[in-house]
Amino acid sequence: IVPVGIDALLNWHTLQEINNRDFTIQRSFDGQNFNNIGTIAAQGNSTNMQGYTFTDTGIINSIQSLVYYRLLATDLDGKTAYSKVVTLRLKSHTWQVRLLTNPVLDEVKLAVSGVAGNVQVYINNFEGKAVYSNKQTTANALIRIPAASLPHGMYVLVITNGIDKKLMRFVK
């Protein structure tokens, strides 16, 4: 198993095949409960080594820290056999947001790090009403939000990366 971007590339091979129908790729996050995520047709009969590949799309962006895979090989007569279980440690998805100004005067300044991709930023007043919303394409950078027009008071800043969200209070 090899991480490639946000995907996991699963590779395996057989030395020989006799009446193989297919391989069902199974995934688990606890190592006990597996779900089918795809099926690849087998060569069937072969005395030569055969290579197979399956891509688990987007798994690197999962909020999980470890993923388990196994294969369920099925023969033409319906007999099945499991492969050994292999694991892939997913990179840490801890991301940080630091509010650089509090109290806020003319702008909210945020330092965002550890994000792969865009973030959505909201400012809610203390009654929960959204007073600002914007998609930020400058992840892992300094984000500046104009705040001069906000009335004085308490606000809640909400930042989401699509998987997780961070909440911070600030005063204007």
Side-chain angles (χ1 to χ4, degrees), residues 83-94:
S83 70
K84 69 177 186 166
V85 174
V86 294
T87 60
L88 174 64
R89 182 162 302 282
L90 303 177
K91 65 182 178 184
S92 173
H93 292 286
T94 57

Side-chain angles (χ1 to χ4, degrees), residues 32-77:
Q32 302 292 320
N33 302 297
F34 285 84
N35 294 309
N36 297 342
I37 60 170
T39 302
I40 301 285
Q43 185 67 31
N45 291 300
S46 174
T47 57
N48 298 323
M49 183 165 52
Q50 299 295 318
Y52 298 93
T53 301
F54 179 82
T55 301
D56 191 1
T57 306
I59 191 65
I60 301 301
N61 284 340
S62 165
I63 60 172
Q64 306 297 323
S65 60
L66 191 63
V67 62
Y68 303 84
Y69 294 100
R70 71 180 180 192
L71 297 173
L72 174 63
T74 305
D75 290 344
L76 293 172
D77 61 5

